[in-house]
Amino acid sequence: MELVGILVIIVGFALKLDTIAVVVASGLTTGLVAHMSIGDILNTLGEAFVTNRTTCLFMLTVPIIGLCERYGLKVKAIMLIKKASSLSTGILLSGYTFIREATIAMGVTLGGHPQFVRPLVSPMAEGAAVAKYGELDQEDIDKIRAYSAASDNIGNFYAQNVFMANAGILLIVSTLDGLGIKVDSLELAKYAIPVAIIAFVLWVAQNIMLDRKLKKKYSARSNVGGAK
């Protein structure tokens, strides 16, 4: 019967009810079925919240990003990029991927999509294209945003295991150790270095192709407009 709380969560999520309310209701239901007093239930919920309070920090990113954009962070980023006329979208995204790989390889996280890509990298990449070609089609804006997100994903995913204390490396070491296979985390990290380099080179090539496609498309459009 104590598993009835899981049923409450399934039903609540299926009905798309408020997530926090569903989780609290599940906790209360489980506690009551387990013959716990209201005081004990609230004490357990409070201890769980305090123990895992750091997991709630992500909720701060949404209002912070909103405030930054409200006071012109996105506009200022675009203005800054427009001044660097030689900087293309592909070069900017390749540079960000390099920084992302270098920092994550040292165990430093920049924040990822909510804190870095959405408010800064994506607007700067769009601004670089606007500075070169003027108004962009929505299709190309969406593509640049997708490339901005991919730049972070590639840098993070393929270089994270270069850091020997990364959770992925530690998981591999502990799993193999449990199977009686002794491995060194430093050796595993060394094997991740060429993977990170190859991923970066391939991503730079794809960014170069993006620049060429944008140049070909908007240069042809400009020529047609000039001919008219």
Side-chain angles (χ1 to χ4, degrees):
M1 286 295 294
E2 286 80 0
L3 297 179
V4 70
I6 298 176
L7 179 62
V8 173
I9 290 178
I10 294 174
V11 173
F13 286 176
L15 296 176
K16 298 183 179 180
L17 301 177
D18 182 79
T19 303
I20 296 177
V22 170
V23 172
V24 172
S26 173
L28 290 172
T29 303
T30 302
L32 291 174
V33 171
H35 306 293
M36 295 173 63
S37 66
I38 297 296
D40 290 337
I41 294 173
L42 295 177
N43 184 57
T44 301
L45 290 174
E47 288 180 354
F49 176 79
V50 171
T51 303
N52 299 282
R53 61 186 180 277
T54 54
T55 61
C56 300
L57 292 178
F58 77 94
M59 290 186 288
L60 296 175
T61 60
V62 175
I64 289 173
I65 291 172
L67 285 172
C68 289
E69 293 195 355
R70 172 66 177 80
Y71 289 99
L73 178 62
K74 180 177 179 179
V75 175
K76 291 295 183 182
I78 293 175
M79 290 173 60
L80 176 64
I81 290 301
K82 284 184 176 180
K83 294 180 181 179
S85 57
S86 61
L87 190 63
S88 68
T89 299
I91 293 175
L92 188 146
L93 294 179
S94 297
Y96 174 68
T97 303
F98 175 78
I99 294 172
R100 191 74 167 96
E101 286 201 355
T103 52
I104 198 67
M106 295 184 288
V108 179
T109 303
L110 295 179
H113 295 270
Q115 300 93 335
F116 218 79
V117 175
R118 174 63 181 83
L120 283 176
V121 177
S122 182
M124 291 170 72
E126 292 176 40
V130 170
K132 283 184 173 295
Y133 311 115
E135 186 177 353
L136 303 175
D137 294 339
Q138 186 61 44
E139 177 187 2
D140 294 317
I141 292 175
D142 292 339
K143 182 179 293 186
I144 291 172
R145 290 173 180 174
Y147 269 66
S148 301
S151 294
D152 188 89
N153 289 344
I154 291 169
N156 176 63
F157 184 81
Y158 289 103
Q160 61 180 322
N161 285 343
V162 175
F163 183 53
M164 61 181 294
N166 179 266
I169 290 289
L170 298 179
L171 176 62
I172 293 172
V173 172
S174 61
T175 302
L176 293 178
D177 186 63
L179 296 173
I181 304 172
K182 300 296 181 181
V183 293
D184 183 18
S185 59
L186 180 58
E187 289 297 319
L188 288 176
K190 288 180 180 179
Y191 283 108
I193 294 175
V195 175
I197 294 173
I198 292 171
F200 176 72
V201 171
L202 292 176
W203 183 239
V204 169
Q206 193 156 341
N207 284 330
I208 292 173
M209 292 174 63
L210 173 64
D211 279 343
R212 290 180 176 176
K213 288 179 181 178
L214 291 174
K215 183 178 180 179
K216 181 179 179 180
K217 177 178 180 179
Y218 290 98
S219 294
R221 182 177 296 182
S222 178
N223 293 334
V224 171
K228 291 181 180 180

